[in-house]
Amino acid sequence: MVRLMGRSRTRSPLRSGAAASARRRREGSDRARWRPAAVLRPVLSGRSVAGQVFLLHLVIVLLLVVAAVVALVLQVRRDSTQEARNRSLAVAETLANAPGIVEALASPDPTAVLQPRAEAVRRQARLDFVVVMNTDGIRYTHPRPDRIGKRFVGTTGPALAGRPVVEEIDGTIGRLVQAVVPVEAPDGTVVGLVSAGITTEHVGGAAEGQLPLVLGAALAALALATGGAALVSRRLLRQTHGLGPHEMTRMYEHHDAVLHAVREGVIIVDGDGTLMLANDEARRLFSLPEDAEGRHVLRIGLDPGTADLLSSGRIATDEVHRVGDRLLALNQRPTDRAGGPPGSVATVRDSTELRALSGRAEASRERLNMLYEAGVGIGTSLDVTRTAEELAELAVPRFADFVTVDLFDSVLSGGHPDAAGALRRTAMTGIAGDPPLYPRDERIHWVASSPQSVSLTTGRPVLEPRLGDAPGWRAQDLERSGQIMEYGIHSLITVPLRAGALVMGVVSFWRSRKPEPFDTEELALAEELVARAAVSIDNARRYTREHSMAVTLQRSLLPRTLPEQSALEIAYRYLPAQAGVGGDWFDVLPLSGGRVALVVGDVVGHGLHAAATMGRLRTAVHNFSALDLPPEELLALLDELVARIDQDEAQDEHSAPVTGATCLYAVYDPVSRHCTVARAGHPPPALVRPDGGVEFWDVPAGPPLGLGGLPFESAGLELPEGSRLVLYTDGLVEDRRHDIDVGLEQLREALSRAGDSPEDTCRVVLESRRPVRAGDDIALIVARTRALGADRVAEWQVPSDPAAVGEVRAAVSRKLAEWGLQELTFGTELVLSELVTNALRYGGSPIRVRVLYDRNLICEVYDSSSTSPHLRHATMTDEGGRGLFLVAQLTGRWGTRYLPAGKVIWAEQPIPGA
């Protein structure tokens, strides 16, 4: 068994079914490690090797303890008997040689003299009797007085002859040990005898007094031996996994059979580098000698690299070593990780035959990996050109040395491919930068015999393994074809870019560095790559078409040119989002009296719906501005309009509401330099004063358009001439990376650095705030204020008297002459006569007349009435009703503007030559 256990440490690298079941029993044993009953139960069962060893050890220990106890008891009894003999003899000799013993024997009454002395000696020596007798054996003393005078029981012959004698006999007081010693006179004559003795009962009692100690020591020794046997058996139980002798024999037979039958070498080396085990396959692969086991691995004939690896014990994974004509893959792990013995175990397999297969497997794995990367790496953007470039970059240099992608021009712009049109080289990538291929952006017409043309016509890939043997390819361009051959390009695959029935272009794969030509397997791979890229290119083409349509719609809805006006010097920028068309918009609207309205709005969302909604709102603002309403009233009307639009859209399940539209409306008057602003959920405007100070105008923030329920409020401010009013949409200041407060502060810093002109302000702001890839539209308007000088403004108060009309005409004529506008005198007099007469007749006091000399000549008549005149066509019999008709004929445009206390009738006349 010891040999079997020792063998298990070196020749058991595998585990059979019995060992597996034993491992489960061992795991259950480990969980109950600290429960003695659970530990001893399998030990005491006797079925396992550990149980049998424990029981055998226990029986041996028990027999040894019993034998030791018996021997110790017998030894104690023997020693007690010997002690009794010695003590009896010593006491008898002492008394026999005591002074006066001879005289006492010769006295008339020896008993009277000797009985007390004998009893004193007996009690002191703890004996059962001390007897003094004469030579005839008649007792003079005895512990029992009734025995005095009687004959002594025992052997006295030797004592009478002068020799002491010790014997064991059955005396009158029982079985005893006694000594008989002669009492000699000075002349050597025996004159009496002394006997001393102790009964066997007292001798055994002495031994029995020591028996508890002996038994206690025996039981302690038995307990210690049993505990030691249990510990040894438990350790053996863990090492043998609870297996019985037959199971262990079967397991090791299976281990040996598997170990030497597997087609993988197994080598076990101890911590000193000594070879402990090598199975048959290891011996065959390394050509080991028969006596290799037990020798150091450096001295068994292995190649230096393999020997160093095995002796070092370091971890190795599929480390390839050349041994003769074989390529061996070694894996090595230490054996002391889980408390095992120091050393290492190595497995060896012959990878020579697998090397060729692994090369093909590696190529297949690389192709699968390329297809996977094509799925995730091609089509990351909705840009046709970039998608074509991603295809070319993926295939170089892993599949081809050069890749070119040729697409029809119409595909690049989002249209359907035109088979009769030219192709444009959209992408070209290679291992070198100077191949003699057609350059990028070159327009190409492939001849009918070229592989590219064949692919485009048939819709099938074409393989030209050797370009030198392909005359149809050379017909494209003889000179360039020769240069390509001289460059080293020798093999070609062309694959059409197909998306359903559409052929959008052709992809060419060129090979130069690798000497082998393209084969059919590579043709299939190229076709799969291009098929995956074609889907992404078609998606990008469709997106380009839809995006172009949306951008076209959006730009058609935005102002193309700004109207002429003198109140503001304006610069603007509009940057559409790269991700899609948004709903940002702006406008500049000239108003009556030389005033100008600035509008900025934003419809949340992207796409055609946002652009169309933006166009509807801009049209509505145009119409509402013609009413010359205050900003807060215009926003209220716009809010009602959006609410109505939402109600209409809600009835159509395919439409979306306009929730999230914002707007800012500002009106600037160059005469008073007063600006009034109202906003509906829009960011506040920025104001740059002439001294460079920047502030954000605290305009009351109304709700976004369409929500309703809350009124809009406006804020007014008198602006110094040269101030810059900055209106913008949230795309300029909002960013996912930070809050809007950060964006506003950055805008403030950019405005503080900008120059005085609106153009310079727009440039600086966009350079500092425009993101790399805009996620939202950006609309920006910078308006620098101008003032209409007092020398170009004339104003008169009109009394409530019809005769005052003539005075007004005269005053206006003089002012026109002063301005050099005599040509407009006649028309202006007629217009003012009609407007002032209507104010006197239908209006209320006070009445004022104001004339402005701007780009146009503006005549304004103020009165306190809120009624507005209406233009009508008078009949031939009507006496009146022709005044406003004459005003409309003589002026460019006219209208009514309402004030908090009255109204203004105005009319504009174009200035000749202006």
Side-chain angles (χ1 to χ4, degrees), residues 81 94 101 111 128 144 151 216 235 315 448 488 506 543 548 577 606 704 763 829 837 872 877:
T81 302
T94 300
I101 190 64
T111 298
D128 287 328
R144 298 178 181 179
R151 183 175 291 280
R235 183 173 182 85
I315 296 177
V506 63
Y543 172 79
S548 299
H606 296 86
R763 179 184 58 80
E829 288 181 350
T837 300
R872 65 187 182 90
T877 60

Side-chain angles (χ1 to χ4, degrees), residues 238-306:
R238 294 179 61 186
Q239 292 180 344
T240 59
H241 310 302
L243 298 177
H246 297 292
E247 290 178 328
M248 290 188 64
T249 301
R250 184 171 65 254
M251 181 184 70
Y252 287 119
E253 288 175 351
H254 290 171
H255 284 182
D256 287 342
V258 173
L259 181 66
H260 294 286
V262 294
R263 301 302 297 169
E264 185 167 308
V266 178
I267 293 178
I268 299 178
V269 181
D270 66 4
D272 297 331
T274 301
L275 178 63
M276 303 301 296
L277 173 69
N279 68 347
D280 295 343
E281 183 68 9
R283 291 177 177 274
R284 183 184 71 83
L285 294 176
F286 287 116
S287 302
L288 296 177
E290 293 294 331
D291 60 345
E293 294 184 0
R295 297 168 57 185
H296 200 279
V297 293
L298 296 176
R299 295 189 289 273
I300 58 176
L302 296 173
D303 68 286
T306 305

Side-chain angles (χ1 to χ4, degrees), residues 157-230:
L160 293 174
R163 300 189 304 274
V165 60
V166 180
E167 61 181 345
E168 296 183 20
I169 63 171
D170 293 325
T172 58
I173 60 175
R175 185 72 179 172
L176 53 82
V177 178
Q178 64 182 10
V180 181
V181 178
V183 178
E184 296 179 352
D187 59 358
T189 302
V190 176
V191 294
L193 299 175
V194 176
S195 176
I198 185 171
T199 62
T200 304
E201 180 183 357
H202 290 169
V203 174
E208 291 174 358
Q210 298 181 6
L211 186 59
L213 179 61
V214 173
L215 292 178
L219 291 176
L222 180 61
L224 291 175
T226 303

